[in-house]
Amino acid sequence: MTPATTERSDADRLRNDVVDELTSKGWLTTPEVEEVMRRVPRHAFTPGASLEEAYNAYGAVVTKKDEHGVSISSVSAPQIQGMMLEQAAVKPGMNVLEIGSGGLNAAYLAELVGESGTVTTVDIDPEVTERATRLLVENGYPQVNVVLADAAEDFPGRGPYDRIIVTAGAWDILPGWREELTDGGRLVVPLRMRGLTRTIDFKRVGDHLESSSARVCGFVPMQGAAAHQEELLLVAGTDEIGLRFDDGLPADPSQLDNAVLTVREEMWTSVTVGLQEHVDTLQMYLATVLDGFCVMAVDPDLDTGLVAPSNRYFSLATVEGDSFAYLTTRRTEDDEHVEYGVHAFGPTRQKLAQTVTEHVRTWAKEHRGGPGPKISVFPAGTPDDQLPGERVIDKVHSRVTLSWHSVETTVES
């Protein structure tokens, strides 16, 4: 066998191994998506990456970094691509728009829509669109429309679309994304809400969007007009402990200046979860019910042990006036579960710890194992009395609402 033949054989084997892995774990469930992921040569769209890197089921391939070494463009992991394609439920003959290009996902979409459908992929970066154009042509997909544009401001004018798939992390839902959808069409987007990102399958219902599913994911953030930066609050007088807020800092951050000088309050919830249990609904529930919700991170090089989260890089936290609290865990005696606990600092630390503890217990009783909240997106300016849900997240162009139903209610309905 020639080296080229050997490489092709290895790529085919690795590609099928990845799909086998994803189907066995339940990440892929539809034969249409499974078929196109077996057919399209993923490695051909990740030049510079080894076959092992290209066919890592759970790893993205970074294709571009900024001057600080931060990833700004990548080919998503097979797990994420398959998940979003299944959420989109693309059918033959559809008109599909992809926002955030690279080539590979557009090739998958071209296979799914077939000869009677159309695919347009748009990106803000000319280097990305040039690469995508070249790779699509080289691999047999010259029919894909590759457009250089900022999809937050300028649409390619080929709508309306049956499906719009956003492959970059979005903080807001732009008006055009809804307006360019057919009624009943789907928008699949990794949406950041209060610091948590979920890839959500939205269906257009008149003037708003309603979610059908939401999955945990991670994406490089959008650039251009839709870019949004979190705000950081340092609470220890150094860079050791940072609280990241997605929707603006507390009204008076200085109230927390002396919080870490108090004794740490520790309270345990009696709520235990298995080591492999999915708890993404707990994250979303706390983001819904806690007004001061944020994410805490600890610099490992400066860590003095003042706080003791189970994850130094990402811990659910909240601020209330002059106090803050965060969620942590400890192993149970059987070493197969962890128990949730709350640590709090500040003058009202005991009260705040109790509040968070009760919310964790409510989640365990009413929402654990459930589908999570119903997420709806309405245009900015929609009156409060026309919005459903327990939490409204105001963004620049939209108002996002989260509505919860107990597991019992969900089962009954």
Side-chain angles (χ1 to χ4, degrees):
M1 297 178 68
T2 66
T5 302
T6 301
E7 181 181 18
R8 188 162 55 248
S9 176
D10 289 344
D12 291 343
R13 174 180 55 80
L14 290 170
R15 184 164 61 256
N16 284 305
D17 287 348
V18 165
V19 178
D20 290 343
E21 163 82 3
L22 296 178
T23 52
S24 68
K25 295 292 179 62
W27 290 109
L28 283 181
T29 60
T30 59
E32 296 85 0
V33 174
E34 177 184 342
E35 182 181 347
V36 300
M37 292 190 71
R38 290 189 190 278
R39 184 185 309 149
V40 178
R42 176 179 170 87
H43 65 286
F45 291 88
T46 58
S50 68
L51 288 179
E52 289 71 20
E53 291 170 333
Y55 290 109
N56 178 348
Y58 308 105
V61 176
V62 175
T63 55
K64 186 175 182 180
K65 296 181 179 181
D66 65 13
E67 65 273 17
H68 305 294
V70 177
S71 173
I72 58 174
S73 182
S74 66
V75 176
S76 297
Q79 172 207 358
I80 297 295
Q81 288 186 311
M83 182 175 69
M84 293 185 72
L85 290 171
E86 293 198 335
Q87 284 182 301
V90 176
K91 305 297 182 185
M94 284 187 170
N95 184 22
V96 179
L97 172 67
E98 178 192 33
I99 298 173
S101 194
L104 177 58
N105 206 57
Y108 290 147
L109 292 170
E111 291 280 356
L112 289 169
V113 302
E115 294 183 0
S116 60
T118 56
V119 175
T120 300
T121 180
V122 58
D123 201 279
I124 194 173
D125 188 334
E127 185 176 323
V128 172
T129 55
E130 289 170 9
R131 184 177 67 245
T133 299
R134 174 174 54 81
L135 293 175
L136 285 164
V137 170
E138 288 177 356
N139 289 282
Y141 302 95
Q143 75 274 27
V144 173
N145 306 306
V146 183
V147 179
L148 174 64
D150 184 347
E153 297 182 317
D154 182 26
F155 258 65
R158 299 174 183 268
Y161 298 96
D162 301 296
R163 300 288 188 267
I164 297 177
I165 301 176
V166 182
T167 57
W171 179 80
D172 201 355
I173 300 294
L174 284 300
W177 300 358
R178 182 187 69 255
E179 295 164 0
E180 289 290 323
L181 271 180
T182 58
D183 196 31
R186 294 189 182 188
L187 167 69
V188 179
V189 55
L191 181 63
R192 198 169 83 228
M193 299 163 289
R194 313 209 80 199
L196 306 175
T197 301
R198 300 290 185 268
T199 175
I200 306 173
D201 161 20
F202 285 113
K203 180 180 179 181
R204 179 176 178 178
V205 181
D207 68 343
H208 69 282
L209 305 170
E210 295 183 357
S211 69
S212 299
S213 63
R215 308 284 185 83
V216 176
C217 65
F219 275 84
V220 296
M222 295 197 78
Q223 303 173 55
H228 179 82
Q229 296 294 325
E230 296 176 317
E231 294 188 68
L232 181 67
L233 174 61
L234 301 176
V235 297
T238 68
D239 291 340
E240 178 186 356
I241 305 167
L243 302 178
R244 301 200 310 269
F245 292 84
D246 203 38
D247 305 305
L249 295 174
D252 185 3
S254 66
Q255 289 190 75
L256 289 176
D257 286 351
N258 297 315
V260 293
L261 301 179
T262 64
V263 176
R264 185 171 75 201
E265 179 74 24
E266 298 190 5
M267 194 172 294
W268 295 92
T269 66
S270 300
V271 174
T272 61
V273 298
L275 298 180
Q276 302 301 318
E277 182 176 344
H278 293 293
V279 293
D280 53 302
T281 58
L282 173 59
Q283 297 176 348
M284 290 303 304
Y285 185 70
L286 292 181
T288 301
V289 297
L290 294 171
D291 290 338
F293 181 84
C294 56
V295 174
M296 185 180 78
V298 181
D299 187 326
D301 295 327
L302 300 175
D303 189 0
T304 64
L306 186 62
V307 294
S310 49
N311 184 339
R312 289 188 297 188
Y313 301 99
F314 185 92
S315 298
L316 306 181
T318 189
V319 169
E320 189 174 281
D322 55 10
S323 302
F324 75 96
Y326 61 89
L327 209 61
T328 189
T329 60
R330 64 183 179 187
R331 287 288 184 103
T332 56
E333 290 185 1
D334 64 9
D335 209 34
E336 296 180 358
H337 297 77
V338 294
E339 179 187 4
Y340 281 113
V342 182
H343 292 175
F345 291 85
T348 58
R349 58 192 180 278
Q350 186 173 28
K351 177 185 175 184
L352 183 55
Q354 186 64 49
T355 296
V356 178
T357 294
E358 291 304 321
H359 284 313
V360 173
R361 290 170 178 167
T362 298
W363 166 81
K365 180 181 178 181
E366 299 183 6
H367 305 294
R368 182 177 184 172
K374 184 79 171 182
I375 304 169
S376 301
V377 179
F378 292 82
T382 302
D384 288 347
D385 61 7
Q386 296 180 23
L387 298 176
E390 289 78 40
R391 168 65 59 180
V392 177
I393 306 172
D394 281 310
K395 299 179 181 287
V396 175
H397 300 285
S398 63
R399 307 192 75 187
V400 180
T401 68
L402 306 177
S403 307
W404 288 85
H405 300 283
S406 68
V407 173
E408 293 82 358
T409 301
T410 303
V411 171
E412 290 173 1
S413 62

